Amino acid sequence: MKFTFTAEQESFATTLDKMLTSADTVAIARAWGDDDTAPGLALWKRLADQGVQALIVDEESGGMGASPVELAIAFEALGRHAVPGPWVESVAYLPMALGNGDVVEALAAGAVGTVAAAGSSQRALDADIADHTFVAKDGSLMSGAPGERAHSVDPTRRLFALTEGEDVAHGDLDAAFDMAVLATSAQLLGVGERLLADAVAYVKQRRQFGREIGSYQAIKHQLADCRIALDFARPLIHGAALTVAGPEGARDVSAAKVAAAEAAYRTSRVALQVHGAIGYTQEFDLSIWILKVRALLTAWGTPAAHRARILSALTVGA
């Protein structure tokens, strides 16, 4: 498959990246992890003004009516800049799960939504600050009330159990799940790209035995393997963005999630190794992305669950 972005998509990616680069997202992520959500919500509003939350919402509901490709572009940027918050839930899952209505219009305008989806994401991100909270379970969608807070390996992922409420009219929950998987895959790709960029920059400046450590073949090979893994994951994500609404969408988004998770995890391990002991410290910014990879590995489906979906899709009728 030959895949290139249009000029408009390239411009969207560049504009979003520049905006997030100037927003000091590292400080925002650290504050979010310390329960100071005000800076993150201010960025949430800025991104809403740019239409990010309205990407896949129909124009009739106040959205942009964009394609999943634009969604993947946005989530790669959100991952690269470690932007905290229930982005997958608000922007990818709920607009599809709800179909239409006042809540979808509110989400497109910048309201914060979250969901606990049984079988994939048992707890809801940032339910204490969300305007709309839901529980997806057994093919139904229900309102939800925040309950006990749970610990996450990623401090910026503030997890809450939800108490189930009344049933809510919903759209296609399976399609919503696939869209969430696609967004998470793109987010993992962005995280992996940032980790590789930081690792490459570091090995060019750190010196041992009179030379930059990046000049050693062993380190070059490790970083090259990361580059290859990320480059193999990228077309799977873009391909899945084109097919997610079709009959092979479930298989393709699962393949994208498996590849993106493996690539990001490999890159996180190599980035940690080349940085040495400093990479373990919370004070060093690298930890923000390393911990995010660990949390996203199992968000919206474990690698084993997605491999099972791929196997099932390939063996049906065999």
Side-chain angles (χ1 to χ4, degrees):
M1 177 183 295
K2 183 178 181 180
F3 189 100
T4 56
F5 290 150
T6 64
E8 290 79 10
Q9 290 167 340
E10 291 280 7
S11 176
F12 174 58
T14 301
T15 301
L16 191 55
D17 189 68
K18 286 182 178 178
M19 177 183 171
L20 293 175
T21 298
S22 65
D24 194 5
T25 53
V26 168
I28 290 173
R30 290 191 181 282
W32 194 273
D34 292 333
D35 291 340
D36 178 8
T37 55
L41 291 175
L43 178 60
W44 184 283
K45 184 178 184 308
R46 288 182 62 194
L47 290 166
D49 292 341
Q50 297 296 318
V52 173
Q53 284 87 330
L55 278 174
I56 63 168
V57 176
D58 294 338
E59 294 181 18
E60 293 77 12
S61 298
M64 304 291 288
S67 75
V69 175
E70 282 79 11
L71 184 81
I73 291 172
F75 273 85
E76 182 180 345
L78 293 172
R80 184 183 304 115
H81 292 279
V83 179
W87 287 95
V88 172
E89 292 76 8
S90 282
V91 182
Y93 184 87
L94 286 175
M96 298 287 293
L98 292 166
N100 52 43
D102 294 342
V103 176
V104 173
E105 293 179 15
L107 293 173
V112 180
T114 191
V115 62
S120 54
S121 297
Q122 301 284 355
R123 294 181 174 83
L125 282 180
D126 307 305
D128 59 330
I129 61 165
D131 303 298
H132 305 281
T133 55
F134 298 93
V135 177
K137 184 179 179 181
D138 299 331
S140 299
L141 190 66
M142 296 160 278
S143 60
E148 185 178 353
R149 185 170 178 176
H151 172 76
S152 172
V153 67
D154 177 4
T156 67
R157 291 175 64 83
R158 305 165 61 254
L159 299 173
F160 292 83
L162 293 185
T163 302
E164 298 169 14
E166 298 179 351
D167 284 346
V168 175
H170 62 82
D172 189 337
L173 297 184
D174 291 336
F177 174 79
D178 287 341
M179 197 66 75
V181 175
L182 173 67
T184 306
S185 303
Q187 199 173 9
L188 276 163
L189 178 64
V191 174
E193 291 286 359
R194 175 56 184 259
L195 285 165
L196 181 58
D198 283 2
V200 170
Y202 186 72
V203 300
K204 288 181 178 179
Q205 62 178 336
R206 182 184 170 193
R207 298 175 65 87
Q208 281 189 340
F209 307 112
R211 331 167 29 184
E212 294 84 5
I213 63 172
S215 64
Y216 293 102
Q217 283 294 322
I219 290 181
K220 287 181 178 178
H221 288 169
Q222 291 272 21
L223 294 171
D225 286 344
C226 295
R227 180 69 273 157
I228 292 169
L230 291 168
D231 283 348
F232 272 103
R234 183 179 296 278
L236 288 178
I237 294 168
H238 293 164
L242 294 175
T243 63
V244 63
E248 297 176 344
R251 180 200 65 186
D252 291 351
V253 296
S254 285
K257 177 77 188 303
V258 169
E262 288 184 348
Y265 185 69
R266 172 193 287 270
T267 307
S268 72
R269 304 304 299 170
V270 172
L272 178 61
Q273 188 175 25
V274 301
H275 278 82
I278 191 175
Y280 286 98
T281 61
Q282 288 189 351
E283 292 77 8
F284 196 59
D285 291 344
L286 189 75
S287 65
I288 294 174
W289 284 273
I290 287 177
L291 295 178
K292 189 167 293 297
V293 169
R294 187 64 190 85
L296 291 178
L297 279 179
T298 54
W300 294 100
T302 65
H306 284 295
R307 285 193 174 91
R309 284 220 304 176
I310 297 169
L311 178 63
S312 176
L314 294 176
T315 56
V316 169

